[in-house]
């Protein structure tokens, strides 16, 4: 999708406010902790059948495999940078519809679940909270982490939208179609502080899907640019205010007006930069060690 390249270009305008890091592809071992080994082997070797490829939303290619492994490597690198520096973002990620043994809805591997399990397994974090605000339910993440009490999954989404058959996250909020800025933000501002307090995570992973926007063709919600920016700012401020490390991933966005879509995905980066300038994460901490 062209939006990724254009987002990178767009973000270059932020100059030195952003420090870029290049991930390495996620290991197959990390993928197999969450996904079925047979599925991962078929994906890597190009043995997914026609039907599986159709369901994924993409024709198979070696470049596609490299791309999704780099994307999940980016989420892992971002999580580690967040744990060190307090705040990091992946200019991709949020592939929350991928299941244990099949791809779905443009998601081949589930970066959120894979990274959560990798960090937990290695003891890099004891508990984490996934705040999924993409307009679609994080059904894959919910199922993949259902038996992992150290990873709390929260999804706030449009109730009448893909996937038709919803999973059970640790907490779900299904919004009415056409929910607009004020109502959306009111629900969010009630939920996030409560979740942080009850889960007490060592890391928050935020899926900042831009498909909640009123112009998104797969959305069904009615957020404006102002509402979307306020949403990103609210999550960042609340998590940082609680002194917690935060990794954001960009999630979905499907407006055919690519410049407008890219500007929406850029908001979470811009709000992160702003928050960082306003309130250093921890002044006693020397980042980059
Ligand atoms: Zn989505």
């Amino acid at each position: 999708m062209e939006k990724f390249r254009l987002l990178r270009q767009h973000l270059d305008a932020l100059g030195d406010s952003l420090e870029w890091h290049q991930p390495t592809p996620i290991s197959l071992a990390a993928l197999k902790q969450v996904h079925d080994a047979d599925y991962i082997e078929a994906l890597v070797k190009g043995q997914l059948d026609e039907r599986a490829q159709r369901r994924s939303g993409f024709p198979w290619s070696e470049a596609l495999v490299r791309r999704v492994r780099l994307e999940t490597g980016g989420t892992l690198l971002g999580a580690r940078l967040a744990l060190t520096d307090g705040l990091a973002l992946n200019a991709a990620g949020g592939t929350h519809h991928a299941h244990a043994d099949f791809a779905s809805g443009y998601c081949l591997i589930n970066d959120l679940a894979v990274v959560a399990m990798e960090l937990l397994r290695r003891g890099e974090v004891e508990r984490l909270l996934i705040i999924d605000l993409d307009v679609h339910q994080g059904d894959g993440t919910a199922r993949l982490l259902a038996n992992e009490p150290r990873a709390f999954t929260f999804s706030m989404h449009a109730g009448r939208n893909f996937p038709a058959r919803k999973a059970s996250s640790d907490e779900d909020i299904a919004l009415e179609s056409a929910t607009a800025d004020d109502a959306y933000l009111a629900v969010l501002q009630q939920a996030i502080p409560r979740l942080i307090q009850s889960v007490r995570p060592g890391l928050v992973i935020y899926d900042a899907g831009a498909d909640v926007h009123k112009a998104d063709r797969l959305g069904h919600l009615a957020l404006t640019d102002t509402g979307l920016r306020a949403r990103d700012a609210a999550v960042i401020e609340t998590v940082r205010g609680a002194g917690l490390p935060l990794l954001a991933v960009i999630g979905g966005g499907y407006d055919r007006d690519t410049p407008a879509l890219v500007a929406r995905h850029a908001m979470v980066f811009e709000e992160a930069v702003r928050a960082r300038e306003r309130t250093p994460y921890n002044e006693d901490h020397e980042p980059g060690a």
Side-chain angles (χ1 to χ4, degrees), residues 96-97 134-136 211 252 254:
H96 59 173
H97 299 308
D134 188 283
V135 80
H136 305 102
D211 45 13
Y254 306 95

